[in-house]
């Protein structure tokens, strides 16, 4: 229960917990799986959806949890539209590996998908036949795909489709007209297509029950704030060099950037042309500008070099069962986590410290080790108290190469991702041992004072 002086549970919350415990405290049962007159379902539904914000009811059952978990991966995210709802939303990313199979694999949950986001993917007209099988689909995002319009007639099978977005595609007026006459779409987005203003106006005149969005008219009289630039691909770790590609969905936008840590401005900062070659650890900042628009917010992204990758990794102590990531693989997969700890990007240690041994079949010339870690002081996630880097020809002939004693955060320090580097004179190494000892007693100002701190790590950078 909450400590004295802190917000206490309401009577309703206590009742929900009591009923949940009496129901065997199951973590595998959804609220919607309980009988409609079940007390726990009624109380929990009122809690999740207060008066005036009731959930949309659906006449289909929830998908199998194990199936949903199996279909989730690094480039495809599947999640319920609301707590306890059987309806699912799907976002697919990474155009480099997208194929029709990415959609075919979803057929196991096609009766639960109501929202599908395929923006900026190489989706073709033939793929619309697959999409038309998602019979409960309400929202379909096909912006900046390779749709031409020839397959739009397949979508007429989607009787529940209300929101269709085709911005940035090559669809034509005739294909759109044929499709919209056969569907009950409430909103159709056609920004940045080949349709003229007069064609869009004609469509709107003939389809008064559909809101047709043709886009913003850039006349300079009504400034709108630009969205930030975005990366063509999402990555944060590279081996030797990296070509950084930045894009913006609006034509004519000028992207200004810096790589020296300073804030970009509209006059002095370099203009992004085609790509930027990154050779070292870099903080990339960028803003978008265009006449008649307000400049965007800045993006700030860290890129790290890791020149060597071990052939195998061993952990002396296992990570905490709640934060196991992909075990040893997590440390050198060149994939960085964010401040969400509930992903497979993080390994966490508390009862034991982090101790990892990295093996190389061919010795490397080593001069630094950087640990990419998380700091969230309210959650008792602190930097290590002490870091040791050992190296040598093999695990039986190691010597201490360097140590680092990170600064202990203060009470009001912000949550952050941190890179803790230990450097030393360059030398050959066939084996590296990394020891990161967590803080054994949290400071007196912390609400868990005296307890051990967590250590969260997602990557070892080797140079």
């Amino acid at each position: 229960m909450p400590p004295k002086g802190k917000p206490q549970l309401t009577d309703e919350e206590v009742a929900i917990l009591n009923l949940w415990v009496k129901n065997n405290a199951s973590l595998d049962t959804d609220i919607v799986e309980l009988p409609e007159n079940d007390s726990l379902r009624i109380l929990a539904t009122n809690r999740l959806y207060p008066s005036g914000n009731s959930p949309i009811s659906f006449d289909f059952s929830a998908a199998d949890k194990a199936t949903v978990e199996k279909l989730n991966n690094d480039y495809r995210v599947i999640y319920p539209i609301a707590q306890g709802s059987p309806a699912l939303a799907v976002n697919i990313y990474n155009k480099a590996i997208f194929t029709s199979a990415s959609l075919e694999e979803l057929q196991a949950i096609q009766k639960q998908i109501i929202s599908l986001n395929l923006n900026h993917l190489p989706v073709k007209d033939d793929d619309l036949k697959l999409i038309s099988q998602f019979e409960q689909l309400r929202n379909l995002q096909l912006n900046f795909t390779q749709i031409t319009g020839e397959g739009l007639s397949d979508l007429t099978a989607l009787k529940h489709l209300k929101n269709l977005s085709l911005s940035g595609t090559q669809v034509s007026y005739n294909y759109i007209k044929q499709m919209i006459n056969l569907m009950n779409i409430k909103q159709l987005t056609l920004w940045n297509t080949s349709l003229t203003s007069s064609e869009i106006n004609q469509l709107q005149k003939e389809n008064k029950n559909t809101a047709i969005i043709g886009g913003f008219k850039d006349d300079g009289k009504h400034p709108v704030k630009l969205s930030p630039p975005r990366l063509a691909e999402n990555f944060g770790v590279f081996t030797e060099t990296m070509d950084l590609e930045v894009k913006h969905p609006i034509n004519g936008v000028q992207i200004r950037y810096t790589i020296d840590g300073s804030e970009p401005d509209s006059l002095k900062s370099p203009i992004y042309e085609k790509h930027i070659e990154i050779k070292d650890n870099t903080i990339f900042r960028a803003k978008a500008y265009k006449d008649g628009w307000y400049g965007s917010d800045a993006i700030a992204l860290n890129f790290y070099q890791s020149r060597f990758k071990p052939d195998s990794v061993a952990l002396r102590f296992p990570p905490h069962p709640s934060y196991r990531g992909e075990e040893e693989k997590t440390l050198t997969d060149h994939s960085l986590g964010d401040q969400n700890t509930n992903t497979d990007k993080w390994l966490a240690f508390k009862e034991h410290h982090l101790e990892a041994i990295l093996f190389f079949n061919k010795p490397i010339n080593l001069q630094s080790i950087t640990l990419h870690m998380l700091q969230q002081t309210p959650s008792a996630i602190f930097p290590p108290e002490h870091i040791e880097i050992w190296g040598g020809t093999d695990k039986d002939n190691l010597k201490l190469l360097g140590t680092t004693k990170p600064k202990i955060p203060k009470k009001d320090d912000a949550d952050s991702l941190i890179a803790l580097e230990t450097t030393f004179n360059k030398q050959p190494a066939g084996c590296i041992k990394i020891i990161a000892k967590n803080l054994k007693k949290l400071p007196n100002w912390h609400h868990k004072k005296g307890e051990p701190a967590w250590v969260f790590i997602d990557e070892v950078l080797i140079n």
Side-chain angles (χ1 to χ4, degrees):
M1 299 299 286
K4 291 182 178 180
K6 299 294 183 180
Q8 300 297 303
L9 297 179
T10 65
D11 291 341
E12 182 185 59
E13 290 169 336
V14 171
I16 289 173
L17 287 174
N18 277 327
L19 289 169
W20 176 62
V21 171
K22 288 181 180 179
N23 200 40
N24 297 322
S26 173
L27 296 174
D28 299 319
T29 302
D30 287 331
I31 292 299
V32 294
E33 295 175 3
L34 299 174
E36 290 187 4
N37 60 350
D38 184 89
S39 299
L40 176 57
R41 175 168 178 167
I42 293 171
L43 281 176
T45 300
N46 289 336
R47 174 71 179 171
L48 297 172
Y49 307 99
S51 178
N53 190 28
S54 298
I56 301 173
S57 60
F58 298 96
D59 59 359
F60 52 84
S61 59
D64 177 66
K65 284 186 177 181
T67 301
V68 174
E69 291 175 2
K70 184 177 180 181
L71 290 171
N72 263 307
N73 53 42
D74 288 341
Y75 65 90
R76 184 174 56 209
V77 178
I78 305 167
Y79 55 94
I81 63 165
Q83 294 185 56
S85 174
L88 300 175
V90 179
N91 288 352
I92 302 181
Y93 312 93
N94 198 335
K95 64 181 182 181
I97 61 175
F98 174 83
T99 65
S100 297
S102 303
L103 296 172
E104 292 173 352
E105 291 167 355
L106 294 173
Q107 290 180 334
I109 57 171
Q110 66 184 32
K111 292 184 179 181
Q112 285 81 26
I113 298 174
I114 71 162
S115 180
L116 183 59
N117 186 332
L118 302 173
N119 292 339
H120 300 279
L121 296 176
V123 179
K124 297 180 174 61
D125 292 289
D126 287 344
D127 294 320
L128 298 182
K129 293 179 182 178
L130 285 171
I131 295 172
S132 69
Q133 298 175 25
F134 300 167
E135 58 195 62
Q136 295 294 337
L137 204 58
R138 270 77 166 168
N139 174 48
L140 178 57
Q141 301 287 316
L142 294 169
N143 299 320
F144 299 94
T145 60
Q146 296 178 13
I147 300 297
T148 67
E150 292 184 12
L152 287 177
S153 59
D154 291 317
L155 298 183
T156 58
L158 298 173
K159 303 304 181 184
H160 299 286
L161 189 64
K162 301 300 180 186
N163 183 10
L164 176 61
S165 192
L166 298 168
S167 297
T169 64
Q170 298 301 311
V171 295
S172 66
Y173 173 75
N174 288 332
Y175 285 129
I176 293 294
K177 184 177 180 179
Q178 293 172 15
M179 176 204 68
I180 200 171
N181 287 335
L182 299 173
M183 302 185 72
N184 188 29
I185 294 176
K186 297 300 182 183
Q187 180 172 296
L188 177 61
T189 306
L190 297 170
W191 174 77
N192 201 26
T193 63
S194 61
L195 275 71
T196 64
S197 297
S198 60
E199 288 174 334
I200 289 176
N201 290 337
Q202 183 62 30
L203 285 172
Q204 185 65 84
K205 183 178 178 180
E206 296 174 356
N207 301 274
K208 298 185 182 299
N209 293 327
T210 302
I212 299 177
I213 301 173
F216 170 75
K217 184 178 180 181
D218 188 5
D219 56 10
K221 297 179 181 179
H222 304 89
V224 173
K225 190 174 185 177
L226 290 166
S227 60
R230 61 180 182 82
L231 295 182
E233 301 289 348
N234 292 321
F235 43 74
V237 181
F238 62 97
T239 305
E240 295 294 340
T241 62
M242 179 183 69
D243 281 338
L244 181 61
E245 295 186 29
V246 189
K247 294 185 178 181
H248 200 281
I250 297 176
N251 293 331
V253 165
Q254 186 180 79
I255 297 174
R256 297 266 185 171
Y257 72 94
T258 63
I259 55 174
D260 60 2
S262 63
E263 193 76 6
D265 62 46
S266 61
L267 298 175
K268 298 179 181 180
S269 299
I271 299 174
Y272 174 80
E273 298 294 345
K274 293 183 179 180
H275 67 91
I276 302 168
E277 186 178 45
I278 303 293
K279 297 181 179 180
D280 300 295
N281 294 350
T282 300
I283 300 177
F284 175 80
R285 302 178 189 270
K287 287 185 177 181
Y289 297 96
K290 186 178 181 181
D291 291 341
W293 297 65
Y294 294 121
S296 74
D297 294 330
I299 57 169
L301 304 168
N302 285 282
F303 298 95
Y304 299 99
Q305 185 181 51
S306 185
R307 296 178 58 236
F308 305 108
K309 191 168 185 176
D311 295 289
S312 60
V313 179
L315 292 171
R316 180 181 177 187
F317 305 111
H320 191 277
S322 299
Y323 307 101
R324 299 177 60 180
E326 296 189 43
E327 301 289 350
E328 294 87 348
K329 178 183 175 182
T330 302
L331 295 178
T332 57
D333 62 1
H334 286 193
S335 179
L336 300 180
D338 55 25
Q339 295 196 27
N340 178 11
T341 58
N342 296 315
T343 68
D344 61 359
K345 304 295 184 184
W346 292 103
L347 298 184
F349 299 85
K350 186 177 182 181
E351 288 79 13
H352 303 288
H353 63 262
L354 163 67
E355 185 168 334
I357 301 181
L358 287 59
F359 299 94
F360 300 83
N361 293 337
K362 183 179 180 181
I364 62 172
N365 289 318
L366 181 68
Q367 62 182 2
S368 74
I369 293 288
T370 301
L371 308 184
H372 193 260
M373 312 191 85
L374 179 64
Q375 176 178 300
Q376 287 183 353
T377 53
S379 301
I381 302 174
F382 276 55
E385 183 179 31
H386 181 74
I387 297 172
E388 297 177 4
I389 307 298
W390 297 70
T393 55
D394 54 59
K395 66 184 180 76
D396 297 321
N397 294 280
L398 300 177
K399 65 177 181 178
L400 184 64
L401 303 181
T403 63
T404 299
K405 190 174 180 63
K407 182 180 178 181
I408 301 300
K410 298 179 180 179
K411 182 176 182 179
D412 297 325
D413 284 357
D415 297 346
S416 60
L417 299 169
I418 54 177
L420 302 174
E421 184 180 37
T422 303
T423 60
F424 30 80
N425 294 328
K426 184 181 290 188
Q427 54 194 291
C431 181
I432 303 169
K433 181 167 72 173
I434 300 169
I435 299 175
K437 298 181 178 180
N438 59 315
L439 191 66
K440 293 306 177 186
K441 290 186 178 182
L442 289 165
N444 288 334
W445 53 259
H446 200 277
H447 64 94
K448 293 185 177 181
K449 64 180 180 181
E451 295 184 16
W454 288 94
V455 165
F456 273 68
I457 182 170
D458 66 342
E459 194 73 16
V460 176
L461 308 168
I462 310 166
N463 291 293

